[in-house]
Amino acid sequence: MPAAALEIEGLTKIYAPRGAMPAKTALDNVDLVVPRGEIFGLLGPNGAGKSTLINILAGLVNKTRGKARIWGIDIDADPRASRAAIGVVPQELNMDPFFTPRELLELQAGLYGVPKAERRTEAILAAVGLADRADAYSRTLSGGMRRRLLVAKALVHAPPVLVLDEPTAGVDIELRQGLWSYVRELNEAGTTVVLTTHYLQEAEELCDRIAIINHGKVVACDTKSALLARLDAKELRISIDRDLGQVPSALATFGVTLDGTRTLVMHYQPSRTRVDDLLAAVRAEGIAVVDLTTRESDLEDVFLQLVRSAPTAA
């Protein structure tokens, strides 16, 4: 098996001008490696280039230049085999309303050349919670059920790489948790999962490694812990035993502010400031600490910082 599930080198997509619209660079010399066996997050604002990248891998959009390999297979040298190695759950709910889930999975399996004896239609329907609706017309399914049906369709040919493009959009909390539970099971069984989502809390909870793309460029790609460490920022809130009208000068040197009259707030860099020094200064002022809480930087903080500071593609 290849060490990398996806290998992308210099991938560029430029859409030709249309009428008064100038040429648009959707992907700008993207380099990216997704290690085998990971749940990999691909994050970015709307229009960043995520869907274009996915559609190139799926064979739905022609790249302008660059290379891409799926499970070690070059998408140009062997497009049929490369597409068989990937399953894509699209953002849009696209399915024939007059087919049942069972019929759609059988049809999809046939399109991928899966022999009838090797099809796992019933097992997949059960896994995504659609066994009891297997013979209902897909037009009668709720939005969450249709989303799960798209996941099922992407799995019929047992691809080693599964791409989920905003899979939980419009899905309620219970169904979302069920979907992620199944995705974790797939990953533990060896499937590499690439996830795009606007729910950054999901990405932070699920993903081993995260790439952030903006204006067609990859602006960061690292493990979660390394990305979070970039900010080197925490917030400390201290509840005290008395009302204060202003921050004592000894505490102001730490950048402490007041929230109300009984809460001291400090934003600091753990690599440069010791909390013990601040607490000693608080005690030296004769102020008793009733309670304290800290807030770590999260993925949303990192995402916003990187996206706001990233340059615009040409």
Side-chain angles (χ1 to χ4, degrees):
M1 291 189 295
L6 297 177
E7 298 171 274
I8 296 168
E9 301 172 15
L11 196 62
T12 299
K13 175 60 183 178
I14 303 173
Y15 289 99
R18 289 186 179 182
M21 297 292 293
K24 168 68 175 177
T25 301
L27 293 175
D28 187 3
N29 200 38
V30 169
D31 294 327
L32 195 63
V33 175
V34 178
R36 185 187 77 239
E38 287 194 352
I39 299 181
F40 187 94
L42 182 62
L43 309 181
N46 290 332
K50 305 185 300 297
S51 292
T52 297
L53 174 57
I54 290 169
N55 287 334
I56 289 173
L57 296 175
L60 301 175
V61 169
N62 294 322
K63 61 185 174 59
T64 302
R65 59 180 175 268
K67 296 182 180 180
R69 288 181 290 277
I70 304 170
W71 211 244
I73 306 164
D74 190 284
I75 64 172
D76 295 319
D78 196 344
R80 183 184 293 269
S82 68
R83 291 171 193 172
I86 193 171
V88 178
V89 180
Q91 208 174 127
E92 299 80 15
L93 293 172
N94 55 352
M95 61 188 67
D96 193 312
F98 297 102
F99 279 75
T100 67
R102 180 179 282 114
E103 291 168 341
L104 284 170
L105 264 59
E106 286 292 311
L107 176 62
Q108 189 83 350
L111 292 173
Y112 275 98
V114 181
K116 286 192 174 182
E118 298 177 15
R119 295 180 188 177
R120 303 174 298 120
T121 298
E122 303 305 321
I124 293 173
L125 287 171
V128 298
L130 291 175
D132 60 338
R133 302 302 302 275
D135 296 312
Y137 287 125
S138 60
R139 67 176 183 271
T140 68
L141 301 179
S142 68
M145 290 178 179
R146 294 182 189 186
R147 186 72 61 185
R148 285 183 283 160
L149 180 54
L150 290 180
V151 175
K153 285 179 63 180
L155 294 172
V156 295
H157 58 297
V161 182
L162 178 65
V163 178
L164 304 172
D165 192 4
E166 299 289 347
T168 56
V171 177
D172 66 41
I173 294 175
E174 185 177 1
L175 293 179
R176 185 180 300 164
Q177 290 176 343
L179 177 59
W180 289 136
S181 177
Y182 182 52
V183 167
R184 286 191 182 96
E185 289 177 15
L186 287 172
N187 179 247
E188 290 169 1
T191 301
T192 302
V193 178
V194 178
L195 165 70
T196 79
T197 180
H198 283 103
Y199 298 107
L200 298 185
Q201 186 177 0
E202 284 185 346
E204 188 168 354
E205 181 180 345
L206 290 163
C207 298
D208 306 299
R209 191 181 302 268
I210 293 169
I212 297 176
I213 187 169
N214 193 33
H215 299 301
K217 294 177 177 289
V218 174
V219 296
C221 182
D222 216 325
T223 61
K224 273 187 306 189
S225 57
L227 285 175
L228 293 172
R230 287 189 178 199
L231 284 187
D232 189 25
K234 293 181 72 172
E235 178 188 83
L236 175 67
R237 301 179 69 87
I238 304 174
S239 298
I240 58 178
D241 68 338
R242 68 180 68 175
D243 292 328
L244 291 179
Q246 62 181 18
V247 178
S249 58
L251 303 182
T253 59
F254 289 89
V256 173
T257 59
L258 267 175
D259 182 4
T261 59
R262 290 198 173 203
T263 302
L264 301 171
V265 181
M266 182 179 76
H267 296 90
Y268 67 101
Q269 294 176 286
S271 63
R272 297 185 177 183
T273 304
R274 296 194 315 165
V275 173
D276 187 56
D277 293 337
L278 172 63
L279 294 178
V282 171
R283 289 191 293 269
E285 291 292 325
I287 300 171
V289 174
V290 176
D291 193 13
L292 59 83
T293 59
T294 61
R295 189 184 80 85
E296 302 273 358
S297 297
D298 58 19
L299 188 59
E300 183 174 345
D301 298 322
V302 177
F303 177 85
L304 290 174
Q305 184 193 63
L306 290 170
V307 168
R308 287 168 178 168
S309 63
T312 303

